[in-house]
Amino acid sequence: MVDAYRPSANEEFMNPMQLAYFRQKLLNWKDELLRESAGTMAQLKSGPIREADVTDRASSETDWSIELRTRDRQRKLIAKIESALRRIETGEYGFCEVSGEPISLARLEARPIATMTVEAQERHERNERVSRDD
């Protein structure tokens, strides 16, 4: 695949080139997340926090807490990436799971794990807010 390729609205939606493009985009994203995670694991294995000063230790523990929350979010993101890769294999990628309509290329470019059109996502979020307020 040519690195300069960008999906265009002037071509058939989810043609083999577009699918290959998004597959590679997803794989690159997943690899990046796994590399970051491996770095965090290596730091964790290097031993406990050793700051003598209580304030420095508290600051380090807060930093680690934030780092671990970030890694947990990334773990969930990797699962969504893997789900998107499966949708590419089954031919469902790029189509809204609610309406079946194509998801815009701009949305997929910005959020390649998207499963709904912007409109369906907005409806879903509105309904979620309403049910949460009950």
Side-chain angles (χ1 to χ4, degrees), residues 14-27 80-95 108 112-114:
M14 287 302 127
N15 67 58
M17 287 277 290
Q18 285 184 0
L19 290 171
Y21 172 83
F22 284 111
R23 183 177 188 280
Q24 194 58 54
K25 187 176 183 87
L26 288 160
L27 289 172
K80 290 179 180 183
I81 291 170
E82 289 172 348
S83 176
L85 290 167
R86 281 191 300 277
R87 287 194 309 278
I88 287 174
E89 297 306 316
T90 62
E92 299 167 18
Y93 184 80
F95 295 92
L108 290 172
I113 59 173

PDB file of all heavy atoms in Angstrom, residues 14-27 80-95 108 112-114:
ATOM      1  N   MET A  14     -15.513   1.696   1.219  1.00  0.00           N
ATOM      2  CA  MET A  14     -14.899   0.500   1.804  1.00  0.00           C
ATOM      3  C   MET A  14     -14.430  -0.493   0.731  1.00  0.00           C
ATOM      4  O   MET A  14     -14.583  -1.704   0.850  1.00  0.00           O
ATOM      5  CB  MET A  14     -15.831  -0.180   2.811  1.00  0.00           C
ATOM      6  CG  MET A  14     -15.947   0.608   4.105  1.00  0.00           C
ATOM      7  SD  MET A  14     -14.350   0.861   4.926  1.00  0.00           S
ATOM      8  CE  MET A  14     -14.349   2.645   5.134  1.00  0.00           C
ATOM      9  N   ASN A  15     -13.818   0.068  -0.306  1.00  0.00           N
ATOM     10  CA  ASN A  15     -13.179  -0.766  -1.321  1.00  0.00           C
ATOM     11  C   ASN A  15     -11.917  -1.379  -0.706  1.00  0.00           C
ATOM     12  O   ASN A  15     -11.519  -1.007   0.405  1.00  0.00           O
ATOM     13  CB  ASN A  15     -12.880   0.061  -2.582  1.00  0.00           C
ATOM     14  CG  ASN A  15     -11.820   1.125  -2.331  1.00  0.00           C
ATOM     15  OD1 ASN A  15     -10.703   0.836  -1.925  1.00  0.00           O
ATOM     16  ND2 ASN A  15     -12.170   2.388  -2.578  1.00  0.00           N
ATOM     17  N   PRO A  16     -11.278  -2.323  -1.380  1.00  0.00           N
ATOM     18  CA  PRO A  16     -10.097  -2.979  -0.794  1.00  0.00           C
ATOM     19  C   PRO A  16      -8.991  -2.011  -0.356  1.00  0.00           C
ATOM     20  O   PRO A  16      -8.342  -2.247   0.673  1.00  0.00           O
ATOM     21  CB  PRO A  16      -9.620  -3.905  -1.917  1.00  0.00           C
ATOM     22  CG  PRO A  16     -10.877  -4.237  -2.671  1.00  0.00           C
ATOM     23  CD  PRO A  16     -11.687  -2.967  -2.635  1.00  0.00           C
ATOM     24  N   MET A  17      -8.780  -0.913  -1.092  1.00  0.00           N
ATOM     25  CA  MET A  17      -7.745   0.057  -0.701  1.00  0.00           C
ATOM     26  C   MET A  17      -8.122   0.749   0.611  1.00  0.00           C
ATOM     27  O   MET A  17      -7.279   0.945   1.480  1.00  0.00           O
ATOM     28  CB  MET A  17      -7.543   1.115  -1.798  1.00  0.00           C
ATOM     29  CG  MET A  17      -6.819   0.613  -3.020  1.00  0.00           C
ATOM     30  SD  MET A  17      -5.030   0.621  -2.830  1.00  0.00           S
ATOM     31  CE  MET A  17      -4.670   2.366  -2.832  1.00  0.00           C
ATOM     32  N   GLN A  18      -9.386   1.134   0.748  1.00  0.00           N
ATOM     33  CA  GLN A  18      -9.823   1.784   1.987  1.00  0.00           C
ATOM     34  C   GLN A  18      -9.719   0.819   3.164  1.00  0.00           C
ATOM     35  O   GLN A  18      -9.245   1.187   4.242  1.00  0.00           O
ATOM     36  CB  GLN A  18     -11.259   2.300   1.853  1.00  0.00           C
ATOM     37  CG  GLN A  18     -11.383   3.540   1.009  1.00  0.00           C
ATOM     38  CD  GLN A  18     -12.799   4.093   0.963  1.00  0.00           C
ATOM     39  OE1 GLN A  18     -13.725   3.554   1.564  1.00  0.00           O
ATOM     40  NE2 GLN A  18     -12.966   5.185   0.222  1.00  0.00           N
ATOM     41  N   LEU A  19     -10.156  -0.402   2.955  1.00  0.00           N
ATOM     42  CA  LEU A  19     -10.073  -1.397   4.033  1.00  0.00           C
ATOM     43  C   LEU A  19      -8.619  -1.626   4.456  1.00  0.00           C
ATOM     44  O   LEU A  19      -8.318  -1.686   5.650  1.00  0.00           O
ATOM     45  CB  LEU A  19     -10.735  -2.710   3.605  1.00  0.00           C
ATOM     46  CG  LEU A  19     -12.257  -2.663   3.482  1.00  0.00           C
ATOM     47  CD1 LEU A  19     -12.777  -3.945   2.854  1.00  0.00           C
ATOM     48  CD2 LEU A  19     -12.911  -2.414   4.842  1.00  0.00           C
ATOM     49  N   ALA A  20      -7.724  -1.738   3.480  1.00  0.00           N
ATOM     50  CA  ALA A  20      -6.305  -1.924   3.786  1.00  0.00           C
ATOM     51  C   ALA A  20      -5.751  -0.708   4.522  1.00  0.00           C
ATOM     52  O   ALA A  20      -4.960  -0.851   5.472  1.00  0.00           O
ATOM     53  CB  ALA A  20      -5.519  -2.177   2.502  1.00  0.00           C
ATOM     54  N   TYR A  21      -6.164   0.471   4.110  1.00  0.00           N
ATOM     55  CA  TYR A  21      -5.722   1.711   4.753  1.00  0.00           C
ATOM     56  C   TYR A  21      -6.134   1.731   6.230  1.00  0.00           C
ATOM     57  O   TYR A  21      -5.316   1.981   7.122  1.00  0.00           O
ATOM     58  CB  TYR A  21      -6.309   2.915   4.013  1.00  0.00           C
ATOM     59  CG  TYR A  21      -6.077   4.225   4.714  1.00  0.00           C
ATOM     60  CD1 TYR A  21      -4.872   4.917   4.560  1.00  0.00           C
ATOM     61  CD2 TYR A  21      -7.055   4.781   5.534  1.00  0.00           C
ATOM     62  CE1 TYR A  21      -4.656   6.133   5.212  1.00  0.00           C
ATOM     63  CE2 TYR A  21      -6.841   5.991   6.184  1.00  0.00           C
ATOM     64  CZ  TYR A  21      -5.643   6.659   6.022  1.00  0.00           C
ATOM     65  OH  TYR A  21      -5.430   7.849   6.671  1.00  0.00           O
ATOM     66  N   PHE A  22      -7.417   1.466   6.492  1.00  0.00           N
ATOM     67  CA  PHE A  22      -7.898   1.518   7.878  1.00  0.00           C
ATOM     68  C   PHE A  22      -7.346   0.358   8.701  1.00  0.00           C
ATOM     69  O   PHE A  22      -7.053   0.520   9.887  1.00  0.00           O
ATOM     70  CB  PHE A  22      -9.430   1.577   7.922  1.00  0.00           C
ATOM     71  CG  PHE A  22      -9.965   2.936   7.575  1.00  0.00           C
ATOM     72  CD1 PHE A  22     -10.657   3.143   6.393  1.00  0.00           C
ATOM     73  CD2 PHE A  22      -9.747   4.024   8.400  1.00  0.00           C
ATOM     74  CE1 PHE A  22     -11.134   4.403   6.052  1.00  0.00           C
ATOM     75  CE2 PHE A  22     -10.216   5.294   8.074  1.00  0.00           C
ATOM     76  CZ  PHE A  22     -10.912   5.481   6.894  1.00  0.00           C
ATOM     77  N   ARG A  23      -7.169  -0.780   8.082  1.00  0.00           N
ATOM     78  CA  ARG A  23      -6.557  -1.915   8.792  1.00  0.00           C
ATOM     79  C   ARG A  23      -5.156  -1.539   9.256  1.00  0.00           C
ATOM     80  O   ARG A  23      -4.792  -1.755  10.418  1.00  0.00           O
ATOM     81  CB  ARG A  23      -6.520  -3.144   7.881  1.00  0.00           C
ATOM     82  CG  ARG A  23      -5.960  -4.377   8.560  1.00  0.00           C
ATOM     83  CD  ARG A  23      -6.027  -5.596   7.608  1.00  0.00           C
ATOM     84  NE  ARG A  23      -5.665  -6.789   8.307  1.00  0.00           N
ATOM     85  CZ  ARG A  23      -4.407  -7.149   8.565  1.00  0.00           C
ATOM     86  NH1 ARG A  23      -3.395  -6.399   8.160  1.00  0.00           N
ATOM     87  NH2 ARG A  23      -4.149  -8.261   9.227  1.00  0.00           N
ATOM     88  N   GLN A  24      -4.360  -0.950   8.370  1.00  0.00           N
ATOM     89  CA  GLN A  24      -2.997  -0.551   8.731  1.00  0.00           C
ATOM     90  C   GLN A  24      -3.007   0.541   9.792  1.00  0.00           C
ATOM     91  O   GLN A  24      -2.203   0.529  10.723  1.00  0.00           O
ATOM     92  CB  GLN A  24      -2.218  -0.095   7.489  1.00  0.00           C
ATOM     93  CG  GLN A  24      -0.725   0.011   7.734  1.00  0.00           C
ATOM     94  CD  GLN A  24      -0.126  -1.301   8.201  1.00  0.00           C
ATOM     95  OE1 GLN A  24      -0.281  -2.334   7.569  1.00  0.00           O
ATOM     96  NE2 GLN A  24       0.548  -1.271   9.339  1.00  0.00           N
ATOM     97  N   LYS A  25      -3.933   1.478   9.671  1.00  0.00           N
ATOM     98  CA  LYS A  25      -4.058   2.567  10.656  1.00  0.00           C
ATOM     99  C   LYS A  25      -4.350   1.970  12.039  1.00  0.00           C
ATOM    100  O   LYS A  25      -3.751   2.376  13.042  1.00  0.00           O
ATOM    101  CB  LYS A  25      -5.163   3.523  10.210  1.00  0.00           C
ATOM    102  CG  LYS A  25      -5.305   4.775  11.042  1.00  0.00           C
ATOM    103  CD  LYS A  25      -6.379   5.673  10.424  1.00  0.00           C
ATOM    104  CE  LYS A  25      -6.517   6.970  11.166  1.00  0.00           C
ATOM    105  NZ  LYS A  25      -5.621   8.010  10.723  1.00  0.00           N
ATOM    106  N   LEU A  26      -5.265   1.016  12.092  1.00  0.00           N
ATOM    107  CA  LEU A  26      -5.622   0.370  13.353  1.00  0.00           C
ATOM    108  C   LEU A  26      -4.444  -0.441  13.911  1.00  0.00           C
ATOM    109  O   LEU A  26      -4.164  -0.381  15.115  1.00  0.00           O
ATOM    110  CB  LEU A  26      -6.843  -0.529  13.155  1.00  0.00           C
ATOM    111  CG  LEU A  26      -8.169   0.207  12.939  1.00  0.00           C
ATOM    112  CD1 LEU A  26      -9.193  -0.712  12.289  1.00  0.00           C
ATOM    113  CD2 LEU A  26      -8.689   0.776  14.252  1.00  0.00           C
ATOM    114  N   LEU A  27      -3.769  -1.180  13.051  1.00  0.00           N
ATOM    115  CA  LEU A  27      -2.619  -1.970  13.509  1.00  0.00           C
ATOM    116  C   LEU A  27      -1.503  -1.080  14.040  1.00  0.00           C
ATOM    117  O   LEU A  27      -0.881  -1.393  15.067  1.00  0.00           O
ATOM    118  CB  LEU A  27      -2.097  -2.861  12.371  1.00  0.00           C
ATOM    119  CG  LEU A  27      -2.997  -4.035  11.986  1.00  0.00           C
ATOM    120  CD1 LEU A  27      -2.472  -4.709  10.721  1.00  0.00           C
ATOM    121  CD2 LEU A  27      -3.093  -5.038  13.140  1.00  0.00           C
ATOM    122  N   LYS A  80     -11.199  -2.387  21.567  1.00  0.00           N
ATOM    123  CA  LYS A  80     -12.024  -1.765  20.523  1.00  0.00           C
ATOM    124  C   LYS A  80     -11.320  -1.812  19.169  1.00  0.00           C
ATOM    125  O   LYS A  80     -11.964  -1.996  18.134  1.00  0.00           O
ATOM    126  CB  LYS A  80     -12.363  -0.322  20.900  1.00  0.00           C
ATOM    127  CG  LYS A  80     -13.335  -0.228  22.058  1.00  0.00           C
ATOM    128  CD  LYS A  80     -13.632   1.200  22.413  1.00  0.00           C
ATOM    129  CE  LYS A  80     -14.611   1.274  23.576  1.00  0.00           C
ATOM    130  NZ  LYS A  80     -14.969   2.657  23.908  1.00  0.00           N
ATOM    131  N   ILE A  81     -10.005  -1.661  19.173  1.00  0.00           N
ATOM    132  CA  ILE A  81      -9.229  -1.760  17.928  1.00  0.00           C
ATOM    133  C   ILE A  81      -9.343  -3.170  17.371  1.00  0.00           C
ATOM    134  O   ILE A  81      -9.577  -3.362  16.174  1.00  0.00           O
ATOM    135  CB  ILE A  81      -7.757  -1.359  18.164  1.00  0.00           C
ATOM    136  CG1 ILE A  81      -7.653   0.146  18.456  1.00  0.00           C
ATOM    137  CG2 ILE A  81      -6.887  -1.745  16.969  1.00  0.00           C
ATOM    138  CD1 ILE A  81      -6.284   0.602  18.937  1.00  0.00           C
ATOM    139  N   GLU A  82      -9.195  -4.167  18.231  1.00  0.00           N
ATOM    140  CA  GLU A  82      -9.318  -5.563  17.785  1.00  0.00           C
ATOM    141  C   GLU A  82     -10.717  -5.842  17.239  1.00  0.00           C
ATOM    142  O   GLU A  82     -10.870  -6.560  16.247  1.00  0.00           O
ATOM    143  CB  GLU A  82      -8.952  -6.510  18.922  1.00  0.00           C
ATOM    144  CG  GLU A  82      -7.466  -6.477  19.222  1.00  0.00           C
ATOM    145  CD  GLU A  82      -7.067  -7.244  20.473  1.00  0.00           C
ATOM    146  OE1 GLU A  82      -7.957  -7.628  21.269  1.00  0.00           O
ATOM    147  OE2 GLU A  82      -5.855  -7.447  20.643  1.00  0.00           O
ATOM    148  N   SER A  83     -11.729  -5.258  17.858  1.00  0.00           N
ATOM    149  CA  SER A  83     -13.099  -5.406  17.368  1.00  0.00           C
ATOM    150  C   SER A  83     -13.231  -4.783  15.975  1.00  0.00           C
ATOM    151  O   SER A  83     -13.864  -5.362  15.080  1.00  0.00           O
ATOM    152  CB  SER A  83     -14.066  -4.750  18.354  1.00  0.00           C
ATOM    153  OG  SER A  83     -15.373  -4.800  17.868  1.00  0.00           O
ATOM    154  N   ALA A  84     -12.630  -3.603  15.787  1.00  0.00           N
ATOM    155  CA  ALA A  84     -12.669  -2.947  14.464  1.00  0.00           C
ATOM    156  C   ALA A  84     -11.955  -3.801  13.423  1.00  0.00           C
ATOM    157  O   ALA A  84     -12.427  -3.925  12.283  1.00  0.00           O
ATOM    158  CB  ALA A  84     -12.037  -1.558  14.545  1.00  0.00           C
ATOM    159  N   LEU A  85     -10.840  -4.406  13.791  1.00  0.00           N
ATOM    160  CA  LEU A  85     -10.117  -5.286  12.858  1.00  0.00           C
ATOM    161  C   LEU A  85     -10.976  -6.492  12.475  1.00  0.00           C
ATOM    162  O   LEU A  85     -10.989  -6.906  11.314  1.00  0.00           O
ATOM    163  CB  LEU A  85      -8.782  -5.731  13.467  1.00  0.00           C
ATOM    164  CG  LEU A  85      -7.727  -4.631  13.595  1.00  0.00           C
ATOM    165  CD1 LEU A  85      -6.573  -5.084  14.484  1.00  0.00           C
ATOM    166  CD2 LEU A  85      -7.211  -4.208  12.226  1.00  0.00           C
ATOM    167  N   ARG A  86     -11.720  -7.023  13.445  1.00  0.00           N
ATOM    168  CA  ARG A  86     -12.635  -8.139  13.136  1.00  0.00           C
ATOM    169  C   ARG A  86     -13.740  -7.686  12.178  1.00  0.00           C
ATOM    170  O   ARG A  86     -14.127  -8.422  11.269  1.00  0.00           O
ATOM    171  CB  ARG A  86     -13.239  -8.718  14.414  1.00  0.00           C
ATOM    172  CG  ARG A  86     -12.309  -9.645  15.172  1.00  0.00           C
ATOM    173  CD  ARG A  86     -13.016 -10.408  16.286  1.00  0.00           C
ATOM    174  NE  ARG A  86     -13.612  -9.557  17.301  1.00  0.00           N
ATOM    175  CZ  ARG A  86     -12.953  -9.025  18.340  1.00  0.00           C
ATOM    176  NH1 ARG A  86     -11.678  -9.267  18.497  1.00  0.00           N
ATOM    177  NH2 ARG A  86     -13.596  -8.275  19.211  1.00  0.00           N
ATOM    178  N   ARG A  87     -14.237  -6.445  12.374  1.00  0.00           N
ATOM    179  CA  ARG A  87     -15.275  -5.920  11.480  1.00  0.00           C
ATOM    180  C   ARG A  87     -14.735  -5.758  10.056  1.00  0.00           C
ATOM    181  O   ARG A  87     -15.470  -5.956   9.086  1.00  0.00           O
ATOM    182  CB  ARG A  87     -15.841  -4.597  12.011  1.00  0.00           C
ATOM    183  CG  ARG A  87     -16.743  -4.781  13.223  1.00  0.00           C
ATOM    184  CD  ARG A  87     -17.565  -3.548  13.564  1.00  0.00           C
ATOM    185  NE  ARG A  87     -16.809  -2.317  13.670  1.00  0.00           N
ATOM    186  CZ  ARG A  87     -16.127  -1.911  14.743  1.00  0.00           C
ATOM    187  NH1 ARG A  87     -16.099  -2.665  15.823  1.00  0.00           N
ATOM    188  NH2 ARG A  87     -15.490  -0.759  14.740  1.00  0.00           N
ATOM    189  N   ILE A  88     -13.461  -5.418   9.931  1.00  0.00           N
ATOM    190  CA  ILE A  88     -12.852  -5.335   8.594  1.00  0.00           C
ATOM    191  C   ILE A  88     -12.880  -6.716   7.953  1.00  0.00           C
ATOM    192  O   ILE A  88     -13.259  -6.864   6.785  1.00  0.00           O
ATOM    193  CB  ILE A  88     -11.407  -4.781   8.662  1.00  0.00           C
ATOM    194  CG1 ILE A  88     -11.448  -3.280   8.950  1.00  0.00           C
ATOM    195  CG2 ILE A  88     -10.654  -5.067   7.357  1.00  0.00           C
ATOM    196  CD1 ILE A  88     -10.091  -2.637   9.194  1.00  0.00           C
ATOM    197  N   GLU A  89     -12.524  -7.736   8.710  1.00  0.00           N
ATOM    198  CA  GLU A  89     -12.495  -9.109   8.185  1.00  0.00           C
ATOM    199  C   GLU A  89     -13.884  -9.605   7.794  1.00  0.00           C
ATOM    200  O   GLU A  89     -14.021 -10.359   6.831  1.00  0.00           O
ATOM    201  CB  GLU A  89     -11.868 -10.066   9.215  1.00  0.00           C
ATOM    202  CG  GLU A  89     -10.416  -9.751   9.546  1.00  0.00           C
ATOM    203  CD  GLU A  89      -9.513  -9.677   8.321  1.00  0.00           C
ATOM    204  OE1 GLU A  89      -9.618 -10.547   7.443  1.00  0.00           O
ATOM    205  OE2 GLU A  89      -8.705  -8.721   8.253  1.00  0.00           O
ATOM    206  N   THR A  90     -14.913  -9.175   8.528  1.00  0.00           N
ATOM    207  CA  THR A  90     -16.268  -9.665   8.245  1.00  0.00           C
ATOM    208  C   THR A  90     -17.040  -8.782   7.265  1.00  0.00           C
ATOM    209  O   THR A  90     -18.178  -9.086   6.923  1.00  0.00           O
ATOM    210  CB  THR A  90     -17.093  -9.782   9.548  1.00  0.00           C
ATOM    211  OG1 THR A  90     -17.217  -8.482  10.138  1.00  0.00           O
ATOM    212  CG2 THR A  90     -16.460 -10.759  10.523  1.00  0.00           C
ATOM    213  N   GLY A  91     -16.428  -7.655   6.864  1.00  0.00           N
ATOM    214  CA  GLY A  91     -17.091  -6.768   5.914  1.00  0.00           C
ATOM    215  C   GLY A  91     -18.062  -5.791   6.548  1.00  0.00           C
ATOM    216  O   GLY A  91     -18.826  -5.122   5.851  1.00  0.00           O
ATOM    217  N   GLU A  92     -18.051  -5.684   7.872  1.00  0.00           N
ATOM    218  CA  GLU A  92     -18.967  -4.783   8.571  1.00  0.00           C
ATOM    219  C   GLU A  92     -18.328  -3.425   8.869  1.00  0.00           C
ATOM    220  O   GLU A  92     -19.025  -2.490   9.276  1.00  0.00           O
ATOM    221  CB  GLU A  92     -19.409  -5.419   9.888  1.00  0.00           C
ATOM    222  CG  GLU A  92     -20.156  -6.725   9.712  1.00  0.00           C
ATOM    223  CD  GLU A  92     -20.313  -7.485  11.029  1.00  0.00           C
ATOM    224  OE1 GLU A  92     -20.165  -6.877  12.098  1.00  0.00           O
ATOM    225  OE2 GLU A  92     -20.578  -8.690  10.966  1.00  0.00           O
ATOM    226  N   TYR A  93     -17.031  -3.305   8.679  1.00  0.00           N
ATOM    227  CA  TYR A  93     -16.324  -2.078   9.041  1.00  0.00           C
ATOM    228  C   TYR A  93     -16.798  -0.900   8.191  1.00  0.00           C
ATOM    229  O   TYR A  93     -17.012  -1.023   6.992  1.00  0.00           O
ATOM    230  CB  TYR A  93     -14.811  -2.248   8.871  1.00  0.00           C
ATOM    231  CG  TYR A  93     -14.033  -1.034   9.318  1.00  0.00           C
ATOM    232  CD1 TYR A  93     -13.775  -0.830  10.663  1.00  0.00           C
ATOM    233  CD2 TYR A  93     -13.599  -0.083   8.412  1.00  0.00           C
ATOM    234  CE1 TYR A  93     -13.086   0.292  11.096  1.00  0.00           C
ATOM    235  CE2 TYR A  93     -12.910   1.043   8.835  1.00  0.00           C
ATOM    236  CZ  TYR A  93     -12.653   1.226  10.175  1.00  0.00           C
ATOM    237  OH  TYR A  93     -11.979   2.345  10.589  1.00  0.00           O
ATOM    238  N   GLY A  94     -16.965   0.242   8.863  1.00  0.00           N
ATOM    239  CA  GLY A  94     -17.342   1.468   8.154  1.00  0.00           C
ATOM    240  C   GLY A  94     -18.837   1.688   8.063  1.00  0.00           C
ATOM    241  O   GLY A  94     -19.273   2.705   7.545  1.00  0.00           O
ATOM    242  N   PHE A  95     -19.604   0.739   8.569  1.00  0.00           N
ATOM    243  CA  PHE A  95     -21.057   0.859   8.518  1.00  0.00           C
ATOM    244  C   PHE A  95     -21.616   0.944   9.938  1.00  0.00           C
ATOM    245  O   PHE A  95     -21.177   0.224  10.833  1.00  0.00           O
ATOM    246  CB  PHE A  95     -21.676  -0.319   7.765  1.00  0.00           C
ATOM    247  CG  PHE A  95     -21.277  -0.346   6.318  1.00  0.00           C
ATOM    248  CD1 PHE A  95     -20.169  -1.066   5.906  1.00  0.00           C
ATOM    249  CD2 PHE A  95     -21.988   0.381   5.374  1.00  0.00           C
ATOM    250  CE1 PHE A  95     -19.773  -1.070   4.575  1.00  0.00           C
ATOM    251  CE2 PHE A  95     -21.608   0.381   4.042  1.00  0.00           C
ATOM    252  CZ  PHE A  95     -20.497  -0.347   3.640  1.00  0.00           C
ATOM    253  N   LEU A 108     -14.212   8.231  10.412  1.00  0.00           N
ATOM    254  CA  LEU A 108     -13.341   7.055  10.530  1.00  0.00           C
ATOM    255  C   LEU A 108     -11.868   7.464  10.581  1.00  0.00           C
ATOM    256  O   LEU A 108     -11.070   6.826  11.263  1.00  0.00           O
ATOM    257  CB  LEU A 108     -13.595   6.085   9.379  1.00  0.00           C
ATOM    258  CG  LEU A 108     -14.935   5.361   9.428  1.00  0.00           C
ATOM    259  CD1 LEU A 108     -15.162   4.584   8.139  1.00  0.00           C
ATOM    260  CD2 LEU A 108     -15.031   4.450  10.644  1.00  0.00           C
ATOM    261  N   PRO A 112     -10.993   5.761  14.054  1.00  0.00           N
ATOM    262  CA  PRO A 112     -11.128   4.543  13.245  1.00  0.00           C
ATOM    263  C   PRO A 112     -11.861   3.392  13.935  1.00  0.00           C
ATOM    264  O   PRO A 112     -12.227   2.430  13.278  1.00  0.00           O
ATOM    265  CB  PRO A 112      -9.691   4.162  12.905  1.00  0.00           C
ATOM    266  CG  PRO A 112      -8.806   5.010  13.721  1.00  0.00           C
ATOM    267  CD  PRO A 112      -9.606   6.135  14.270  1.00  0.00           C
ATOM    268  N   ILE A 113     -12.126   3.522  15.234  1.00  0.00           N
ATOM    269  CA  ILE A 113     -12.877   2.475  15.936  1.00  0.00           C
ATOM    270  C   ILE A 113     -14.369   2.785  15.999  1.00  0.00           C
ATOM    271  O   ILE A 113     -15.138   2.036  16.604  1.00  0.00           O
ATOM    272  CB  ILE A 113     -12.334   2.253  17.368  1.00  0.00           C
ATOM    273  CG1 ILE A 113     -12.407   3.536  18.176  1.00  0.00           C
ATOM    274  CG2 ILE A 113     -10.938   1.663  17.323  1.00  0.00           C
ATOM    275  CD1 ILE A 113     -12.067   3.390  19.641  1.00  0.00           C
ATOM    276  N   ALA A 114     -14.794   3.871  15.351  1.00  0.00           N
ATOM    277  CA  ALA A 114     -16.203   4.273  15.392  1.00  0.00           C
ATOM    278  C   ALA A 114     -17.103   3.150  14.880  1.00  0.00           C
ATOM    279  O   ALA A 114     -16.791   2.489  13.890  1.00  0.00           O
ATOM    280  CB  ALA A 114     -16.417   5.534  14.556  1.00  0.00           C
TER     281      ALA A 114
END
